[in-house]
Amino acid sequence: MEIWINPACSKCRSALTLLDAEGADYTVRRYLEDVPSEDEIRGVLERLGLEPWDITRSQEADAKELGLKEWPRDAGSRDRWITALAERPKLIQRPIITSDDGTAVVGRSDEAVRDALSR
């Protein structure tokens, strides 16, 4: 499994602590440094079963600067959202855990991290 983290994020650190406590085998991706491509974001969205606006941190300064609250949330706007996430990775919700079975979860709670572990 792989976990996309921002080391400054308390939810990310909690997820790592839980993964370590469970003896999980995982790879860390510091997504602010190793920025996911638009195709990688599309792949993660497919695995999550979510749309780009579902994993966007709308309270970030970058989101306000872009006016994301006003952007349409429809199929025609999907690529625009994905481009914004790739260009400004701070907007991506974290942590995201991709499992070996092809699924993914946004691991913001212990329950979600345990869900990823059970796959």
Side-chain angles (χ1 to χ4, degrees):
M1 83 178 46
E2 180 177 79
I3 181 169
W4 292 7
I5 68 156
N6 172 352
C9 168
S10 64
K11 299 283 186 188
C12 293
R13 292 191 306 271
S14 292
L16 292 173
T17 298
L18 182 54
L19 291 173
D20 288 341
E22 296 294 326
D25 182 23
Y26 63 92
T27 302
V28 170
R29 179 172 186 170
R30 294 178 181 218
Y31 71 94
L32 297 179
E33 299 163 17
D34 182 7
V35 179
S37 68
E38 289 183 25
D39 284 342
E40 287 176 304
I41 293 169
R42 280 186 190 89
V44 162
L45 288 167
E46 186 174 319
R47 292 171 83 165
L48 288 166
L50 298 174
E51 293 296 337
W53 45 86
D54 296 327
I55 66 162
T56 299
R57 297 174 56 82
S58 59
Q59 298 304 313
E60 289 287 330
D62 284 0
K64 292 175 182 175
E65 180 183 317
L66 291 171
L68 289 182
K69 285 191 178 190
E70 309 306 320
W71 288 18
R73 296 174 181 221
D74 57 29
S77 301
R78 192 171 196 270
D79 286 342
R80 181 181 183 198
W81 282 85
I82 290 169
T83 298
L85 294 174
E87 290 177 353
R88 299 180 187 220
K90 280 186 189 178
L91 294 174
I92 300 172
Q93 190 59 263
R94 61 197 182 233
I96 293 177
I97 302 170
T98 57
S99 298
D100 294 336
D101 70 353
T103 61
V105 298
V106 178
R108 295 196 53 77
S109 68
D110 286 353
E111 180 179 281
V113 175
R114 285 192 179 93
D115 181 38
L117 284 167
S118 70
R119 297 173 184 207

